[in-house]
Amino acid sequence: MFRAFHWDWYERSGPGSELLGRLDGKTVVELGAGIGRQAAHLAVTRAVAEVTALDSSPSMHARGLKAYGDIPGLRVVRADATAYLREHPDTFDIAYSVFGAVDFTDPRRLLPAIATSLRPAGILVFSTLGRYRNGQEPETEVRAARLPTTLADGTPATMERWVLGLPVWERLLVRAGLEIVDVETVDDAGRDDHPPVVTRILRAVRPVGP
Ligand SMILES: C[S@@+](CC[C@H](N)C(=O)[O-])C[C@H]1O[C@@H](n2cnc3c(N)ncnc32)[C@H](O)[C@@H]1O
């Protein structure tokens, strides 16, 4: 039921939940949790005080409630990440995203909201594409790709995905008031019909003091 916690695209290499640091007694939020697999993993395997699995999608939320709604210490919440975090200042010790809300939300709005919702010394960890999946280099400016998608009712639509170069993420994090702790790259060469994917994992901290 609870697969290993991975940050990388194919969920088969690189670091796991240890990147989140000590979790005992901590208040944690996953941003764009999908049905909440990783959050459920943390609630069951690590002594977190509470982990909130946040997702804006009604269908993901419904599936998350059905699969994991009874797990003690896990809250399955349907909300837009930016709005929710703004309503919860100084609340979380740890915020994280696994190809989640951070990949699909304008970082000029979301990152400051994350900084606001973290307690002093709180950390943000997120995994994101280091390069487009077709191998194209990431953006050198704060610019989203518009990708075709299909809504739950079958209607074609477009969505934004933020595939940004490392210097762009670093500038955005600093502008949001966060300090970069470290960056890891998981370079998966791919195999069979799985093309190579570069996963970038960034960690940042809300500084203590003004
Ligand atoms: C690619 S899925 C990743 C889900 C999960 N992290 C996983 O690895 O299984 C991205 C998720 O982010 C959610 N999402 C995107 N933007 C969001 C936002 N602004 N607030 C909350 N959820 C968001 C989507 O609804 C979707 O479920």
Side-chain angles (χ1 to χ4, degrees):
M1 183 183 183
F2 299 106
R3 297 211 304 264
F5 188 113
H6 281 289
W7 298 95
D8 66 301
W9 183 267
Y10 291 127
E11 300 187 55
R12 63 186 178 194
S13 54
S17 68
E18 71 277 4
L19 278 194
L20 298 169
R22 289 191 56 179
L23 291 179
D24 42 311
K26 298 287 171 68
T27 303
V28 181
V29 62
E30 177 168 356
L31 308 170
I35 68 167
R37 277 184 305 122
Q38 291 95 337
H41 175 97
L42 295 183
V44 169
T45 62
R46 310 279 303 264
V48 289
E50 185 173 85
V51 53
T52 300
L54 194 76
D55 204 282
S56 54
S57 152
S59 62
M60 290 293 173
H61 177 249
R63 289 175 56 198
L65 274 181
K66 193 168 174 209
Y68 305 122
D70 293 337
I71 294 178
L74 176 68
R75 294 174 64 234
V76 181
V77 172
R78 182 191 158 206
D80 169 69
T82 307
Y84 185 87
L85 295 172
R86 283 183 183 154
E87 286 164 11
H88 293 80
D90 291 307
T91 301
F92 299 105
D93 300 301
I94 297 163
Y96 73 95
S97 164
V98 184
F99 298 106
V102 173
D103 276 28
F104 296 99
T105 312
D106 189 330
R108 292 164 293 199
R109 290 189 295 111
L110 181 57
L111 295 180
I114 294 172
T116 300
S117 76
L118 286 173
R119 297 185 174 130
I123 66 161
L124 164 67
V125 189
F126 65 95
S127 62
T128 184
L129 286 172
R131 208 179 276 153
Y132 283 97
R133 294 202 54 222
N134 64 6
Q136 196 185 313
E137 291 297 323
E139 303 294 337
T140 54
E141 304 291 336
V142 188
R143 187 168 41 219
R146 294 186 65 75
L147 305 174
T149 187
T150 309
L151 300 180
D153 64 2
T155 316
T158 54
M159 66 176 184
E160 293 190 334
R161 175 160 218 151
W162 302 81
V163 181
L164 306 177
L166 192 50
V168 185
W169 281 120
E170 288 172 339
R171 278 201 302 277
L172 286 163
L173 287 163
V174 169
R175 210 174 291 158
L178 296 166
E179 280 175 11
I180 293 145
V181 176
D182 52 29
V183 180
E184 289 206 32
T185 302
V186 183
D187 206 340
D188 192 314
R191 59 175 179 243
D192 305 327
D193 53 353
H194 293 343
V197 178
V198 177
T199 298
R200 199 84 78 189
I201 310 163
L202 290 94
R203 286 203 295 179
V205 63
R206 177 180 164 190
V208 179

